[in-house]
Amino acid sequence: MPYTQKTLSMLEYDKVIAMLAACAFTEGAREKALCLVPSGDERTVLRRQQVTADARRLADAKGYPSFGGVKDVSGAVSRAQRGAMLQPLELLAVADLLRVSRGLFDYIKTDKPFETVLDETFSLIVTNRRLEDTITRSILAEDQIADEASEELADIRRKIRTANNKIKDTLQKFISGGYGKLLQENIVTMRNDRYVVPVKVEHKNEVKGLVHDTSASGATVFIEPISIVEANNELKLLKNKEEREIEKILYSLSALCAEAADTLTGNYHLITEISFAFSCASLAEQMRASAVNHSSEKAFNLRRAVHPLLDRETAVPIDVRLGGEFDTLVITGPNTGGKTVTLKTAGLLALMYQSGLQIPASPNSVMCVFDDVLVDIGDEQSIEQSLSTFSAHMVNIVEILKRVTGNSLVLLDELGAGTDPIEGAALAVSVLEELRRRGALIAATTHYAELKAYAIETEGVTNASCEFDIETLRPTYKLIIGTPGKSNAFAISERLGLPAEIVAHANTLISGDSKRFENVIEKLEADRIRMERAREEAERLKVEYEAFKAKSEAEIEKARAEARRETERAQAQAKRMVQSARESSEYILNEISTLKKKRAEEVKKEELEKARQSIRAELRAKSGEYDPIEDLTDESYVLPRPVVKGDTVLVMSIGQVGTVLSPADKNGIVRVQAGRVTTRTEQTNLKLIEKQGSKTQKDKDKSAYRKTVVKSFSPELDIRGMYGDDACFMLDKYLDDAALAGIHTVRIIHGKGTGALKAAVWQFLRGDKRVDSYRLGTFGEGDAGVTVVEVK
């Protein structure tokens, strides 16, 4: 059953559609938006919602694709199929369509982050680069055909340029050859596509030629000199040939479009579908809307919902639910308190959801699908139709009763108003009971105490109220479900300036039962506010506790993980130490055993020294696996002289520079001060450092750093996802390391994306003196996502 225009108008659905149309990227998407209506079919609604959600995910991950103002070419292509010649502007529209088709095809294929329901639509797009390039190469603008469109056209235009130059030269000679005094001005102009000169009317008989025109004043005649008549004729023929050749080219291009008619028409419809999906995503982003949960049951629960036409910054979000434990909601409260806005919000968000649009509510909200949304909102009294306020409401309710089904949402504003309160309340209760009997979900606003009592006494019916702040005498616009509200007419009237004595007198006129009922409501409201504040405080403390707990658990887990890693490292190092010691002892024992087997007289001094050096080298190699101290022992080094007190030396076994405290004793042992440590070592373990030693040490440090850089250097730097400044900072250090490592060709991976990161990298490289040249990567190197840099 289609939704009535009255429902859509009352809920201001047309204004949301206008907002959607304003977000459309193409004219086709705009037209589709303006024709959008809610669907009552659950599968259709879920499909629409998934399309919008996937379009928004793609836009968040990759940005919006380019649609380039694609136009509908169906009519032009249809004419081409019937043999008509398309105009250049129509052919350019075809080229634009093909260009956008190619761009969308690349958009979904490049860096595809996840699967979407739009993948099938994207995959049906067919590209035709040959036709696209042929059109763009042939037509430069709406009124300009390129010389390259055909060899014949290029030849004709060469001849036209030659003829033009020939005529101009002839006329220039004519002007400068004595005829200049006969002319009104010494210029060459054109009349009827032929070159002429402006001759004074009194000298027209002195210039032989054809008269083509006369000036408005009659003082000048425009004459084509006889000497260029033949040349002008030739030029005219060439221009006619040019026009025929252009028509031939346009017919040829039109025929190519006719051959690709199915592709072009199909692509246009696919682009419109994709563009519409991204238009819905754009509207959702603009509204800060969310994809909400779906319920197959007849119930909805809107959390922190905002009417889409209200300012999101100042509007008060509401929570409203209907279905499940109750099927009817009776909303009471003061005027201007937000009762009608609540009805409109619930109804409009239901229509938006069923149209496939995301709604401005919390993501944990729940929506279902109704087969109809029936509303009676506002005062539609009409003098022309003799309808009072009450009559207008009754006309709407009669129509609602004709259309209502068991899966309808009915929204009634000021039910039973505009007539005698007793009769109006009785009629309102009767209407609610009939609607409930038919199975509809109902939300109604009222001021009648009888309806409040009905909601309290009837199962499946509940009260709700728009909160009113007694202290400030202002509505808060929050909807409270489960509590009836007061109209607060006395408080509002007094705040607006009604004399207090009038308000006091009015209070005495209320019946005792009504006053007691209102007092009960007031007491319940005060208790609810206290409980609500206590609940909010408890919720705040709970959130703080959970945040503290999560932070503490994360820190504990981090400490545990670090302890496990330290334990594993220590165990691994201990195993290496034990294994190294075992291998070293075995090696030493084997060497000793070998030497014992030799006879003492055969053991030469050189062999002993060689064995000693071999054992020392083996121990040093094994200890290096776990000893962080660098052993700089050089077996080939010989002191140039015995060390003396005050000499600066390098203790090779520990890699430390020290000062000799005392020369070698009889056993060759020297005392050395190395930093804060005083040690005794063999003189052979020392390397003498002359005065330039500090410089040598510095050079050694640089050399060691360079070895570290060379060992760890990678020929490519990945800066994808960085901001421009951060990327340039990383690139600056990377070029230093490349130069230090002696690498001359490196690759900078910046990705394709929007091109902003590549632009920042190229701007940096352009001004860097360390760079010899740079270029985009070729096929196999990363294409446009990589810049290859040659370092000097």
Side-chain angles (χ1 to χ4, degrees):
M1 185 182 298
Y3 290 83
T4 65
Q5 187 59 43
K6 179 180 286 187
T7 293
L8 300 180
S9 178
M10 281 185 176
L11 293 177
E12 300 177 289
Y13 178 79
D14 55 327
K15 294 181 180 178
V16 173
I17 292 303
M19 294 170 67
L20 176 61
C23 292
F25 293 97
T26 65
E27 187 60 32
R30 182 178 179 278
E31 293 174 0
K32 188 175 177 67
L34 293 174
C35 296
L36 181 65
V37 292
S39 171
D41 179 67
E42 187 173 24
R43 292 181 61 184
T44 301
V45 171
L46 290 176
R47 167 73 183 181
R48 288 178 173 182
Q49 284 290 331
Q50 190 61 53
V51 167
T52 302
D54 284 350
R56 191 170 182 186
R57 289 169 63 210
L58 283 171
D60 290 341
K62 304 181 62 175
Y64 287 91
S66 173
F67 294 97
V70 169
K71 297 179 180 178
D72 187 1
V73 299
S74 304
V77 170
S78 177
R79 286 176 29 244
Q81 286 182 299
R82 297 194 297 270
M85 180 189 78
L86 301 185
Q87 295 302 311
L89 190 60
E90 294 173 311
L91 291 168
L92 287 175
V94 170
D96 284 342
L97 175 67
L98 292 172
R99 176 181 54 78
V100 171
S101 300
R102 179 166 50 84
L104 291 175
F105 186 84
D106 293 340
Y107 173 85
I108 201 64
K109 295 295 182 183
T110 306
D111 299 329
K112 185 178 180 183
F114 38 72
E115 302 292 329
T116 71
V117 296
L118 287 168
D119 290 350
E120 182 180 358
T121 307
F122 274 105
S123 68
L124 294 175
I125 292 176
V126 179
T127 60
N128 190 336
R129 188 63 182 268
R130 176 174 167 271
L131 177 56
E132 177 191 346
D133 289 345
T134 301
I135 294 174
T136 54
R137 187 177 60 250
S138 302
I139 304 175
L140 301 179
E142 178 183 355
D143 56 352
Q144 187 177 3
I145 308 298
D147 291 357
E148 294 78 9
S150 74
E151 293 183 2
E152 180 66 20
L153 182 61
D155 182 60
I156 292 171
R157 286 182 172 171
R158 267 195 309 272
K159 292 178 179 178
I160 288 174
R161 286 191 292 271
T162 301
N164 275 322
N165 292 334
K166 180 180 177 183
I167 293 172
K168 289 178 181 179
D169 290 343
T170 302
L171 287 176
Q172 194 60 43
K173 292 177 182 178
F174 176 85
I175 292 171
S176 59
Y179 286 95
K181 62 184 180 181
L182 307 179
L183 305 181
Q184 198 70 261
E185 293 181 82
N186 290 339
I187 61 170
V188 175
T189 184
M190 296 196 76
R191 287 293 187 274
N192 302 322
D193 292 332
R194 300 177 75 87
Y195 286 99
V196 296
V197 290
V199 180
K200 296 176 182 177
V201 68
E202 60 268 25
H203 299 298
K204 66 177 182 179
N205 294 327
E206 300 178 38
V207 178
K208 294 182 179 181
L210 304 176
V211 177
H212 285 276
D213 198 4
T214 304
S215 66
S217 64
T220 306
V221 291
F222 297 93
I223 297 177
E224 177 184 2
I226 196 68
S227 57
I228 65 166
V229 170
E230 191 61 35
N232 264 335
N233 289 340
E234 182 184 352
L235 182 61
K236 186 72 173 177
L237 291 173
L238 288 172
K239 288 187 174 181
N240 288 338
K241 288 181 67 177
E242 179 189 27
E243 291 178 2
R244 288 195 297 272
E245 182 61 23
I246 288 174
E247 284 188 4
K248 181 180 176 182
I249 292 168
L250 295 179
Y251 269 115
S252 175
L253 294 175
S254 301
L256 293 176
C257 292
E259 293 175 6
D262 292 340
T263 295
L264 295 172
T265 304
N267 279 4
Y268 176 74
H269 292 304
L270 293 171
I271 290 172
T272 298
E273 290 293 328
I274 295 170
S275 173
F276 177 73
F278 279 97
S279 301
C280 294
S282 177
L283 178 65
E285 185 177 344
Q286 178 181 314
M287 286 184 175
R288 287 184 278 175
S290 304
V292 298
N293 300 313
H294 177 76
S295 172
S296 297
E297 303 296 327
K298 186 177 63 177
F300 67 84
N301 186 355
L302 294 172
R303 299 177 182 270
R304 297 191 61 78
V306 175
H307 194 286
L309 302 181
L310 296 178
D311 184 356
R312 193 69 186 266
E313 300 297 332
T314 58
V316 178
I318 62 170
D319 294 344
V320 57
R321 67 185 190 276
L322 193 55
E325 56 187 293
F326 55 88
D327 56 35
T328 303
L329 193 63
V330 177
I331 305 172
T332 53
N335 288 321
T336 71
K339 301 190 301 298
T340 303
V341 172
T342 298
L343 294 184
K344 285 190 172 184
T345 301
L348 182 54
L349 295 195
L351 297 179
M352 289 176 62
Y353 179 75
Q354 294 179 209
S355 300
L357 303 177
Q358 294 185 352
I359 62 176
S362 174
N364 61 350
S365 299
V366 178
M367 285 298 298
C368 63
V369 175
F370 297 102
D371 60 13
D372 205 350
V373 177
L374 303 168
V375 299
D376 174 34
I377 296 176
D379 186 357
E380 293 190 330
Q381 61 177 319
S382 171
I383 297 176
E384 292 181 0
Q385 299 179 20
S386 300
L387 289 178
S388 65
T389 298
F390 177 75
S391 300
H393 280 300
M394 282 301 106
V395 168
N396 289 336
I397 289 173
V398 168
E399 185 63 27
I400 288 172
L401 290 171
K402 290 179 181 178
R403 294 176 59 92
V404 69
T405 68
N407 195 34
S408 296
L409 173 64
V410 181
L411 306 172
L412 303 171
D413 190 25
E414 301 292 355
L415 180 59
T419 187
D420 177 77
I422 297 176
E423 293 182 356
L427 193 59
V429 170
S430 180
V431 169
L432 289 179
E433 289 185 343
E434 176 61 20
L435 292 173
R436 292 189 67 214
R437 187 185 67 78
R438 300 195 189 185
L441 292 185
I442 312 148
T445 68
T446 185
H447 289 283
Y448 291 146
E450 290 85 351
L451 284 180
K452 301 175 190 178
Y454 170 74
I456 292 173
E457 297 167 354
T458 308
E459 184 179 355
V461 183
T462 193
N463 276 298
S465 61
C466 290
E467 189 179 58
F468 187 81
D469 192 331
I470 302 297
E471 296 177 1
T472 62
L473 298 179
R474 292 181 180 275
T476 65
Y477 304 106
K478 292 181 180 178
L479 183 70
I480 309 301
I481 294 179
T483 304
K486 290 182 63 178
S487 296
N488 291 294
F490 293 163
I492 293 174
S493 299
E494 191 169 358
R495 180 172 64 84
L496 293 175
L498 192 67
E501 58 272 15
I502 296 178
V503 175
H505 180 62
N507 195 26
T508 62
L509 300 178
I510 299 178
S511 67
D513 290 341
S514 297
K515 187 177 294 187
R516 282 192 294 273
F517 183 75
E518 290 296 326
N519 289 337
V520 169
I521 292 176
E522 186 173 342
K523 186 174 182 302
L524 287 174
E525 178 67 7
D527 291 341
R528 185 199 62 76
I529 291 175
R530 283 195 297 271
M531 293 175 62
E532 184 72 17
R533 289 174 179 171
R535 186 191 64 78
E536 289 176 355
E537 179 64 16
E539 187 69 25
R540 183 186 65 80
L541 293 174
K542 179 183 176 184
V543 170
E544 289 181 1
Y545 166 74
E546 289 179 347
F548 174 76
K549 179 183 175 184
K551 181 180 179 182
S552 300
E553 289 178 347
E555 291 176 351
I556 292 171
E557 183 58 32
K558 181 179 178 181
R560 286 176 178 171
E562 184 62 29
R564 285 195 295 269
R565 286 193 293 269
E566 287 295 331
T567 302
E568 291 170 358
R569 282 197 292 268
Q571 290 176 345
Q573 185 175 3
K575 288 181 181 179
R576 289 196 301 271
M577 291 173 67
V578 171
Q579 182 65 23
S580 177
R582 184 183 294 115
E583 292 176 357
S584 298
S585 61
E586 289 176 357
Y587 179 80
I588 293 169
L589 291 173
N590 288 337
E591 287 295 313
I592 292 173
S593 176
T594 301
L595 291 174
K596 282 183 177 180
K597 291 179 182 178
K598 294 185 178 180
R599 289 182 301 173
E601 63 271 13
E602 294 177 351
V603 178
K604 297 180 181 179
K605 182 178 179 181
E606 290 80 2
E607 289 182 77
L608 288 173
E609 180 62 23
K610 183 177 180 181
R612 183 182 67 81
Q613 293 179 2
S614 176
I615 292 172
R616 181 179 293 170
E618 179 67 16
L619 288 172
R620 187 165 59 248
K622 292 300 181 183
S623 65
E625 295 179 5
Y626 58 86
D627 190 351
I629 299 175
E630 184 179 6
D631 189 349
L632 301 177
T633 301
D634 185 356
E635 299 290 348
S636 63
Y637 178 79
V638 179
L639 283 168
R641 60 173 174 79
V643 296
V644 296
K645 183 178 179 180
D647 278 346
T648 302
V649 294
L650 172 67
V651 184
M652 292 186 286
S653 61
I654 62 173
Q656 293 290 322
V657 176
T659 303
V660 176
L661 298 179
S662 63
D665 60 15
K666 61 181 180 180
N667 295 320
I669 302 301
V670 181
R671 287 178 66 241
V672 179
Q673 179 77 36
R676 296 183 179 181
V677 178
T678 300
T679 184
R680 292 166 59 84
T681 183
E682 294 180 357
Q683 186 170 247
T684 55
N685 188 33
L686 302 178
K687 180 179 288 188
L688 188 64
I689 299 178
E690 303 296 342
K691 292 182 179 180
Q692 68 273 25
S694 59
K695 182 177 178 182
T696 304
Q697 183 62 32
K698 187 176 180 181
D699 292 340
K700 288 171 71 76
D701 291 342
K702 287 184 177 180
S703 176
Y705 175 71
R706 179 176 179 181
K707 289 178 181 178
T708 303
V709 171
V710 171
K711 185 176 181 180
S712 62
F713 187 83
S714 171
E716 62 182 29
L717 174 66
D718 191 343
I719 57 174
R720 288 176 292 184
M722 294 185 182
Y723 289 106
D725 291 342
D726 296 337
C728 291
F729 176 79
M730 295 291 293
L731 183 55
D732 185 37
K733 182 178 182 304
Y734 181 72
L735 292 177
D736 281 340
D737 291 347
L740 196 59
I743 305 299
H744 297 290
T745 302
V746 294
R747 296 168 64 240
I748 312 300
I749 304 174
H750 44 65
K752 297 176 182 177
T754 62
L757 186 55
K758 188 205 82 172
V761 169
W762 279 38
Q763 183 177 0
F764 177 88
L765 295 174
R766 194 176 299 119
D768 198 304
K769 295 181 179 179
R770 295 167 293 184
V771 176
D772 188 26
S773 64
Y774 57 90
R775 60 175 174 82
L776 284 177
T778 59
F779 181 78
E781 290 181 319
D783 298 331
V786 168
T787 294
V788 179
V789 182
E790 298 293 334
V791 183
K792 293 180 180 177

